[in-house]
Amino acid sequence: MPEGHFSQDGRRRLLLVALGRQRVGKTALLNTIVQYFRAAGSEIEVWNADQQNRTHSLSTFFPDASLPPDGGLADTRGWIEGKLKEQAEHGYHAVLDAGGGFTGFSALVEDVPVIEALGARGTDVIGLFCVGPEQADLDYLDSFSKEQLFVPDATMIVMNAGLVLSGRSSGAAFAPIAQNAAFKAAVARGAKVAMFPALTCMAEVTDRGLTFEEAAAGKVKPGQHPMSMFDPTRVREWWTKKVPDFFDTFPPAWLPTARAASAVTAEEGGR
Amino acid sequence: MTDTKRVRLVRKKKIRSFGGRGQIYSWLRTHHAAIEPLKAIHLNLWAALAADMVEDGVTEAADGRGLRDRIWKSWQRVCRDVASEAAAARPKRVPPSRISPDWRPTVVPPRPAVPTQQPASSSGAIVPTGRTSLVDPNDSPLVQAEMAKLEGMFHEADKRRLPR
């Protein structure tokens, strides 16, 4: 593979920010992104600014996740600024779980045009607006857009199929969301839409603090009850088929870089 | 050096021509059946495919600028075209019926139309459309394309559900 075929790989850093109400799947989405792309060799830092979610926070799954210091919004905002500076200096990708409600991240974007500032320093911001089937789930997208606070060119509206009640079809559940004026306005600006696949036994995996690979292999931690007979199969199907299909709906430039193409082709040649 | 020899991702085939389409599209379409199962297991699929294309003389792939996005966009189009061709090729089965084709059910006449009030578009409220499809011909082509894709996603998601 000649050098330079994929100029964006390794040059543009990505900051993936998950936004949305509480319990719409921000942490589950970022957990999946980090596990998936780290497994492929991407260097991704995990920034966990969600201080309200303890049991299922990113720190449960990634011991190396960075946490803001105890304090108020101004402290969290300052911490995020510091992390952004570090990222620009060291050149890795990062995910930020901003948490729900008015957060340090909201305070930061109200204060400075973050997207433009980071873009000038070589970091592309990817906005992941997580929504369930409730109209109020679009409030974040609506308010961030209306006030022009945080409107990245790379905006992905992630519909969480795991939030659709059992027995309902995804189409029926999410159609009202798709007809929402804020949703359509975002799509008209270039936002893309993806559906995060449901994993019926997600809680069985996350409550045990397992990685998806461990769960797919039927592993549990010492002292934990084994998973039910079919759960590892469910996880395997989800992890190896549905999740790759989900990422396939993203424009490639919006996802963390996997290993350099040359590294992969050399490895293939060595098999 | 044998350890740097590259292994092809897909077997070489004679590239079919798809009138009016570019080389990358034609190459991807020709190899669609071989690529489709790979996408779940090979994260650097696009890089490896590009290398195969270059090896097959696809000159459009020799220019690395934005290549990954060009491949990705062509691949989306190939998948859409293959799916719509498959749908068109499916025979439409009409079940036999003893009822006259001219029969119509007795229906209650519709109410006279009442003008509806449209909410302000910036309020985040639902825009009532009265349609079953999400694709609104009044929207821009960009929005229509994304909504059509979304309908496809809904269809796929619901297809995978077991009957309850």
Side-chain angles (χ1 to χ4, degrees), chain A residues 11-13 81 84-89 115-124:
Chain A
R11 290 190 192 167
R12 301 292 292 185
R13 295 174 290 278
E81 276 189 61
L84 293 172
K85 186 165 175 284
E86 272 178 35
Q87 187 193 16
E89 286 164 0
I115 298 166
E116 293 79 1
L118 290 177
R121 301 190 68 169
T123 302
D124 290 334

Side-chain angles (χ1 to χ4, degrees), chain A residues 1 5-6 9 40 135 146 166-170 178-181 184 193 195 242 245 248 250 252 264 268-269, chain B residues 3 5 7 40 42-44 47 64 68 72 121-122 124-127 139 146-147 153-154 158 160-161 164:
Chain A
M1 168 68 58
H5 258 190
F6 301 107
D9 285 12
Q135 290 292 325
K146 263 199 302 203
S166 175
R168 282 194 88 187
S169 78
S170 307
Q179 291 174 8
N180 184 295
K184 292 185 86 168
V193 187
M195 185 171 288
K242 294 180 182 176
D245 282 348
D248 202 41
F250 280 62
V264 170
E268 285 170 353
Chain B
D3 63 342
K5 187 179 182 308
V7 175
H42 201 296
L43 266 181
N44 277 308
R68 188 173 64 163
W72 184 77
S121 63
S122 62
I126 301 171
V127 180
D139 286 332
E146 197 61 21
M147 291 297 176
M153 261 188 256
F154 289 158
D158 293 337
R160 291 179 183 178
R161 290 152 60 95
R164 293 169 198 272

Side-chain angles (χ1 to χ4, degrees), chain A residues 109-110 129 135 138-152 155 180-183 185-186 189, chain B residues 119-125:
Chain A
V109 297
E110 281 190 7
F129 286 89
Q135 290 292 325
L138 286 168
D139 285 353
Y140 276 73
L141 179 68
D142 191 27
S143 58
F144 274 118
S145 311
K146 263 199 302 203
E147 294 165 37
Q148 289 289 306
L149 289 177
F150 183 71
V151 192
T155 290
N180 184 295
F183 181 100
R189 284 194 305 271
Chain B
S121 63
S122 62
S123 67

Side-chain angles (χ1 to χ4, degrees), chain B residues 13-85:
Chain B
K13 283 170 88 170
K14 186 172 185 300
I15 307 301
R16 288 170 57 196
S17 169
F18 294 89
R21 300 288 188 199
Q23 291 178 322
I24 291 178
Y25 176 96
S26 300
W27 192 94
L28 289 169
R29 182 88 186 256
T30 302
H31 292 94
H32 176 266
I35 297 169
E36 178 62 25
L38 294 175
K39 67 178 184 182
I41 54 167
H42 201 296
L43 266 181
N44 277 308
L45 180 66
W46 314 115
L49 290 176
D52 284 0
M53 286 182 198
V54 170
E55 199 173 299
D56 292 351
V58 175
T59 52
E60 285 178 6
D63 178 5
R65 283 172 301 178
L67 180 60
R68 188 173 64 163
D69 285 346
R70 285 187 282 135
I71 292 177
W72 184 77
K73 281 181 187 155
S74 295
W75 175 247
Q76 301 296 319
R77 184 174 283 274
V78 165
C79 290
R80 276 202 302 273
D81 291 353
V82 168
S84 52
E85 271 189 16

Side-chain angles (χ1 to χ4, degrees), chain B residues 88-111:
Chain B
R90 230 172 274 141
K92 293 191 177 77
R93 295 197 313 169
V94 180
S97 172
R98 292 182 184 174
I99 300 171
S100 159
D102 299 327
W103 180 85
R104 295 287 179 275
T106 311
V107 293
V108 178
R111 288 181 179 186

Side-chain angles (χ1 to χ4, degrees), chain A residues 34-270:
Chain A
V34 176
Q35 287 194 38
Y36 191 84
F37 287 98
R38 274 190 176 177
S42 289
E43 188 182 8
I44 308 175
E45 286 276 307
V46 180
W47 302 344
N48 177 18
D50 183 1
Q51 289 157 305
Q52 299 185 10
N53 185 359
R54 298 280 178 203
T55 312
H56 290 153
S57 87
L58 287 175
S59 301
T60 309
F61 308 102
F62 307 105
D64 61 336
S66 301
L67 285 162
D70 287 336
L73 280 180
D75 299 296
T76 307
R77 184 183 62 187
W79 174 79
I80 294 173
E81 276 189 61
K83 300 305 289 180
L84 293 172
K85 186 165 175 284
E86 272 178 35
Q87 187 193 16
E89 286 164 0
H90 294 104
Y92 42 70
H93 301 300
V95 298
L96 171 64
D97 192 346
F102 187 68
T103 61
F105 181 75
S106 329
L108 180 64
V109 297
E110 281 190 7
D111 190 26
V112 284
V114 169
I115 298 166
E116 293 79 1
L118 290 177
R121 301 190 68 169
T123 302
D124 290 334
V125 181
I126 316 296
L128 303 167
F129 286 89
C130 301
V131 297
E134 292 181 23
Q135 290 292 325
D137 291 341
L138 286 168
D139 285 353
Y140 276 73
L141 179 68
D142 191 27
S143 58
F144 274 118
S145 311
K146 263 199 302 203
E147 294 165 37
Q148 289 289 306
L149 289 177
F150 183 71
V151 192
D153 286 343
T155 290
M156 183 59 96
I157 303 171
V158 180
M159 294 176 158
N160 186 351
L163 297 177
V164 176
L165 292 176
S166 175
R168 282 194 88 187
S169 78
S170 307
F174 281 111
I177 289 276
Q179 291 174 8
N180 184 295
F183 181 100
K184 292 185 86 168
V187 171
R189 284 194 305 271
K192 304 284 179 196
V193 187
M195 185 171 288
F196 187 59
L199 174 62
T200 50
C201 59
M202 178 68 89
E204 298 297 316
V205 181
T206 52
D207 284 352
R208 289 175 170 84
L210 300 172
T211 65
F212 297 118
E213 278 185 9
E214 285 169 339
K219 293 179 186 168
V220 292
K221 293 182 174 173
Q224 292 181 339
H225 288 294
M227 298 180 76
S228 83
M229 188 168 75
F230 296 119
D231 280 351
T233 309
R234 289 188 179 101
V235 177
R236 199 174 311 127
E237 175 79 7
W238 181 82
W239 182 240
T240 60
K241 293 183 182 159
K242 294 180 182 176
V243 169
D245 282 348
F246 166 67
F247 287 128
D248 202 41
T249 59
F250 280 62
W254 296 8
L255 290 172
T257 311
R259 285 168 296 180
S262 53
V264 170
T265 49
E267 277 177 27
E268 285 170 353

